């Protein structure tokens, strides 16, 4: 069936007491349903559910779940959801990159570094992985590697302004 936002809003506003946590700003019906299931039934998507979605051909829709938690600032739950997605495809580049970001947010820099290096081993031309790896080394004050990885970003994408700026600063700190 087609999701009609106005109809959902009307129904949930009528049942405000039952669904006291309804928020008309939910990004999609899926987020609302997921949140209700989590709060009312302590639901966590199982491997079978993830495989079912995989068979339906809607893999990219799965990314909305961890992004939902990321946007709420719940990095640990977002990280757990990304880890579950790797059960579907352990080489899913977008998931590995985003998992690395979650590790960075949680100050787990060694784990973030592993994620970005894995992406590079899968795709040696992934600018985001090199850039994020440079950021990890920046946080570690490893200026030699910062220069190495931001230089690679610029080699792959000469118009990458952030990398250019940070490369200059890293070279100054390396002296």
């Amino acid at each position: 069936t087609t999701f009609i936002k106005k109809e959902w809003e009307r129904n949930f506003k009528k049942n405000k007491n039952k669904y006291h946590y309804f928020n008309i700003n939910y990004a999609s019906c899926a987020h609302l349903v997921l949140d209700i299931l989590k709060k009312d039934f302590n639901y966590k998507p199982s491997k079978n559910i993830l495989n079912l979605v995989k068979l339906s051909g809607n893999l990219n829709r799965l990314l909305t779940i961890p992004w939902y938690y990321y946007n709420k600032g719940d990095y640990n739950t977002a990280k757990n959801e990304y880890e579950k997605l790797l059960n579907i495809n352990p080489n899913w580049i977008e998931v590995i990159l985003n998992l690395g970001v979650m590790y960075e947010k949680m100050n787990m820099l060694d784990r973030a570094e592993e994620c970005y290096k894995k992406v590079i081993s899968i795709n040696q031309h992934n600018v985001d992985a090199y850039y994020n790896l440079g950021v990890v080394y920046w946080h570690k004050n490893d200026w030699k590697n910062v220069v190495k990885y931001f230089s690679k970003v610029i080699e792959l994408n000469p118009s990458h302004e952030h990398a250019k700026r940070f490369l200059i600063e890293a070279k100054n700190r390396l002296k």
Side-chain angles (χ1 to χ4, degrees), residues 46-161:
S46 70
K47 194 172 184 179
N48 290 337
I49 295 294
L50 295 176
N51 285 333
L52 182 62
V53 174
K54 178 182 177 184
L55 293 174
S56 73
N58 292 319
L59 282 177
N60 286 334
R61 288 185 181 179
L62 287 175
L63 295 172
T64 62
I65 296 170
W67 267 107
Y68 168 73
Y69 290 111
Y70 172 81
N71 288 326
K72 285 178 67 172
D74 186 351
Y75 303 130
N76 192 52
T77 302
K79 174 190 71 77
N80 292 338
E81 291 298 323
Y82 281 124
E83 288 171 344
K84 289 176 187 177
L85 291 177
L86 288 178
N87 290 323
I88 295 172
N89 179 358
N91 294 322
W92 192 351
I93 288 176
E94 190 170 2
V95 171
I96 301 166
L97 278 170
N98 290 336
L99 182 58
V101 171
M102 293 307 101
Y103 286 134
E104 278 187 72
K105 292 283 187 185
M106 299 170 71
N107 203 31
M108 300 170 71
L109 298 178
D110 291 337
R111 297 290 303 269
E113 180 181 348
E114 290 170 16
C115 288
Y116 302 139
K117 285 183 175 181
K118 182 174 181 177
V119 169
I120 291 167
S121 74
I122 297 167
N123 178 357
Q124 296 175 345
H125 301 286
N126 190 296
V127 174
D128 293 332
Y130 288 106
Y131 180 81
N132 289 357
L133 199 49
V135 171
V136 166
Y137 287 122
W138 185 284
H139 291 300
K140 291 182 172 188
N141 296 316
D142 183 347
W143 305 114
K144 183 178 177 184
N145 276 320
V146 172
V147 169
K148 174 182 175 181
Y149 287 102
F150 284 152
S151 294
K152 185 66 176 182
V153 169
I154 294 167
E155 175 188 322
L156 295 171
N157 180 2
S159 63
H160 199 293
E161 294 303 318

